[in-house]
Amino acid sequence: MISFYINSSLVEIDSSYGTQTVLEFLRENRGLTGTKEGCASGDCGACTVVVVEANSEGDLVYNAINSCITFVGALQGKHLVSVEHLAERDRLHPVQQAMVDCHGSQCGFCTPGFVMSMYSLYQLDKKPEHDEIDEYLAGNLCRCTGYKPIITAMHKACEDRTTAPQSNIDRESIKTQLEDLRCNTSEEKTTNNYLHPNSAAELAQLLATHTEARINAGSTDLALEYTQNLRSFETLIGVQHVPELQVLEDNTDHLRIGAAVTYSRSYDLIKTFFSELASMMLRLGSRQIRNQGTFGGNIANASPIGDTPPVLIALQSELILQSTNGTRSLPIEEFFIDYRKTALRQGEFIREIIVPKLRPAAHLKVYKVSKRLDDDISAVLMAAKITLENGLIKTVRIACGGMAATPKRARNCELAMTGKPLNAQTVAAAQIALDKDFQPIDDVRASAQYRLTVAKNLLTRLRLELTEPNAMTQVSQLA
Amino acid sequence: MHNRHLSNTSPLNHIGAEKTHDSAELHVSGKARYVDDIPQPSDTLFAYVGQSECASGEITSMNLDAVRAAEGVIDIITSEDIPGHLDIGPVFPGDPLLVDSKVSHFGQAIFAVLATSQRAARQAARLAKVEYKPQIPVLTITDAMNRSHFVRPRHRMQRGDAEKVITSAPILIEREFSIGGQEHFYLEGQVALAQPQDDDGVQVYTSTQHPTEVQKLVAEVLGISFNKVVIVTRRMGGGFGGKETQAAPWACIAALFAVRNNCAVKLRLARREDMSMTGKRHPFLARYRVACKENGELLGVEHSLAGNCGHSPDLSDAIVDRAMFHSDNAYFMPHAQVTGYRCKTHQVSHTAFRGFGGPKGIIAMESAMDDIARAVRCDPLDVRKTNLYGNDDRNLTHYDQQVRHFTVPEIIDRLEQTSNYRERRASCKAFNDSNPILKKGLALTPVKFGISFTVTHLNQAGALLLIYTDGSIHLNHGGTEMGQGLYTKVAQIVADVFGVSTDTIRISAAQTDKVPNTSPTAASSGTDLNGMAAFNAAQELKSRLKTFVSEHFSVGRKSIEFANNHVSVGDKIMTFAEVSQLAYMNRIQLSAAGYYKTPDIHYDRETASGRPFFYYANGAACTEMLVDTLTGETRCLRADILHDVGRSINPAIDKGQIEGGFIQGLGWLTSEELRWDDNGRLLSDSPATYKIPAISDTPPVFNVDLLENSPNAEATVFHSKAVGEPPLMLGISGWCAIRDAVAAIADYKISPDLDAPATPENIMRAIHALDSAA
């Protein structure tokens, strides 16, 4: 049995529904056709719904997600709000009314998704800055309006907040409903198709016995196998309720990040210690993706174009892996063996990531280059940790994504820089060394030539930013 | 009967009112029904198509056993199962509904399968075992040009002797550059729901800009008369030209399955199939030779515009023609020779897309303007101003149409002021002088866009207007609503005629059994044509009511006024409902069909001369772009637009078209890149690999204004101007600004070789070429 709320109605369904998508369930089983399918790959946001859950402090969190790439099983214990639930009888929600008043819809097909993303931003109870609006709405594509009236509508809805009527979706009753779900479903936790382990030990046990099962963390990539390759899953193991995988800890010299911690949840902590990584994360997928996607998923997926692995490699992170045989730790760069091939053994999972903090005099630089600024997969991602001492490069670790079959360190480049002054001459030598480190490929995103040129040029950017702090080096500095 | 005076109620000013989209409240609440949202009959089955995995060749064997055996499969059709026409080419043949033996593009439909769910049908469609005898495909314009591989013959427009002028010119500029195509990326993919009727007919709900053509093709595929097919289109989740001809195949397949199996059938393409099976904006290769004087004034121009049409003609003849018509943009070419090529490649058949060829002609000319400016060391805006068409002389196009009521000079002058063009040029230069990595570019470019279908017979429309005895009005016309606000505008027009509020008017779906033989909602003509047809219907009904009231109450027609939901008859005032009821009781017909055809247009393609366009829509944009010379990344910093929509029927809707069109044009020329592999397979086949603008691509400063006090000099509906396509070409200013920023690297002395779209990679290539040349 899977239990959750849709629009304040309790839904209790057989676990066999667990491996279909939330979008299919809403449209086909519940007749809630306000939520649209635009791409079924989490790229357009037309299917956006809001999932409400309580955080560790007991406060409600309103997360916009892509229902097209979320499995129904992952709704266990949560409260889903779809566009049909926002208006109270004939009275539109303030974000809906603002969209009407500002001419924010033309064809209207993307509109329900926008409204839901706007609704999630509206819950923050503040007047958002322009970049916050971009951040919350970058995962919603509109082909008609050029976005201007939507931005205006978001401002208007929040500015009018004092006079606008309160939302009909009563927070206290949602809290009660979520609490009821938590209490009533704690005993009956296992289902055949969608398993919900409650501890790392249980997860290890399930993986040992269900060798065919796939781990489902945020499903932002896994679900594409279902929606694009049309593959059906017999069994999924959801890891959201495993406390060890939800660890988020600031220790003296390192951070502990549980493998199932989402980007959104970890953002504030990461921003405190690794602001460059945090800035990059705002361009990693969209708000909807970051509300679901996890560090563990990004690593285990082992894509050569995953954005966090190069950064974690540059930062000398360690992975804690676990199975029924116990735990072991592994430097993250040893995790990636070949194209989509990892050091993960049968029955083993990533439990957490240990990220050492930067020492004084160490700098982290993270550069993501893609065709579009928002929600785009990198052509090249470069991360560099560099320690300067007396004008010389004491240590440097550089790793790239999009440049090889795996996220990979640029060891020749590092060698060319270590012990040298950070100047144009050193960078020129490092650029030549990059040819030995990487033989990238041509693909739909960029040519090998472009990738290599840009990777080299990013070393120039690195030098300028560390030696000429006033230099203008990135287009985002001005817009 | 009331004894109130009309002046007691507030006046209803419909024309020029910023009324919200008629479906806005339905959109935001998720209630607006698109085809996939219509509650489907319980017997509905789901169709999907099997795709070829070869761009060019013969099918040597097709084994569908595994498809047939797959779970949930009910029926399969191949080309042999089509009772009527196999070819559904809209103008010329070349588009088989299902391939019979010869495959002409990768991903072409070769069979279709019907199953109990969409997922089952999709899964089954992938199980076919098909073998091909492949041939080497033609995949590029250059290859097609070298082999004279065309879907239609070359065409030329000519005026004076450009060749002669060019050979003796003081300054000659030559360039060749490629212009990418564009995926429509309407958010709602192609979809059709077909329901068989009890008389061998079929009703199809579909998302199309051209219900009449879908009706015709469904009937021809089924081998039945047109009157047995009804097409219903209430709204589309975006069209942009991509549902003009490309919606038909899915409706035909759904209808065929529905009739064969006597059940409702839905066919909805998933995004990947939608992107790989439907045509796009034509990629072009533009070549020009431009001769000018030392002051930059044009002497002669030779344009060669080669469009990649894909495997079949589709609408390509008219599309390449429109590129040719617009290769002057806003500039007078004393001598001109414009040649258009329709290249045949083994790609999906490229099709209509907002601008319909026009953008490619315009970008070629705007590129030439910038080249001239760099050659004569002038500000590009001055070169543009020097070459603008005049109103009294220098006003003949290369197809002999006189440019009249030309508002571009006024628009440019105003925009130059409001955008602070001159100061900002200076500040861009100062910025560039002090920043080695980042470069700013600025460009102010105009648009002159011809309004009318260049295929003259399409310039007609019909409307049906019904008044019920409670005074409520049912409005129907041949235009389709794809988000552009057509239905809202037409309702405003009708409301204005009757002096009633727009909520009196129910807007209904375009439906082929209400208004027959309609033209596609395309060519920006929706309001011009359908608005006028509805206006004519409303005028006829109003006149009929006036005559009745005049006779009934024995008052002169001049003392009868329709306003504020009332009718005043001499000193009496009745509600519109009361008049409707009274008219009915007195046996007055309360319905009318309206009709309109655009006057005064003619074009002789043999001589390539005439007046193909009723008038021109004009505008200009000033755009500032920032370029990172290390990576080629760009940002749009600011855009200022002034656009002429004549007397605006709805300024809010018009501005929405302008803003959206500009961003769509900027996307076409920056981040949107179509990529095919060497086998002709589309690589950019999902939003993960094909990047339309997202929210932060909207410039932080974005000023959009309508040209004031500028009613259309031609007798269009309320003297408004068409607005659908023209603003897309305002985005060209962004591409020119990027080129300007790149040119800064070599002190504006060399005109960069920049292909469109200006992706980071193409920009880096241009920078590299510039570095090598400098």
Side-chain angles (χ1 to χ4, degrees), chain B residues 512-528:
Chain B
T512 54
D513 59 354
K514 286 192 176 170
V515 175
N517 314 322
T518 57
S519 294
T521 307
S524 307
S525 69
T527 306
D528 281 12

Side-chain angles (χ1 to χ4, degrees), chain B residues 176-233:
Chain B
E176 176 180 294
F177 71 109
S178 71
I179 305 163
Q182 187 175 24
E183 159 63 38
H184 301 84
F185 210 85
Y186 29 66
L187 264 288
E188 176 209 30
Q190 304 281 355
V191 58
L193 171 65
Q195 295 180 348
Q197 306 296 299
D198 57 7
D199 60 353
D200 300 336
V202 62
Q203 173 147 324
V204 186
Y205 297 91
T206 176
S207 180
T208 180
Q209 294 171 243
H210 201 347
T212 285
E213 188 168 87
V214 177
Q215 175 197 25
K216 168 181 178 284
L217 294 172
V218 165
E220 287 177 350
V221 164
L222 295 178
I224 59 177
S225 55
F226 293 6
N227 64 0
K228 289 193 170 168
V229 179
V230 177
I231 305 297
V232 184
T233 301

Side-chain angles (χ1 to χ4, degrees), chain A residues 27 36 107 146-147 372 447 450, chain B residues 34 37 631 692-693 698 761:
Chain A
R27 291 184 61 86
K36 310 297 182 195
C107 86
Y147 302 101
R372 188 175 72 193
S447 69
Y450 175 77
Chain B
Y34 301 82
D37 305 330
T631 60
I692 71 166
T698 298
E761 178 153 8

Side-chain angles (χ1 to χ4, degrees), chain A residues 386-418:
Chain A
I386 184 163
T387 308
L388 297 172
E389 203 175 81
N390 304 323
L392 298 180
I393 300 165
K394 190 180 172 205
T395 60
V396 59
R397 280 172 74 90
I398 295 176
C400 289
M403 295 291 288
T406 62
K408 188 172 168 246
R409 261 177 83 181
R411 289 176 184 273
N412 291 295
C413 179
E414 292 171 3
L415 208 59
M417 295 174 81
T418 308

Side-chain angles (χ1 to χ4, degrees), chain A residues 363-375:
Chain A
H363 303 268
L364 174 69
K365 286 287 175 188
V366 180
Y367 302 135
K368 177 176 165 76
V369 178
S370 54
K371 257 181 219 166
R372 188 175 72 193
L373 189 82
D374 293 325
D375 189 7

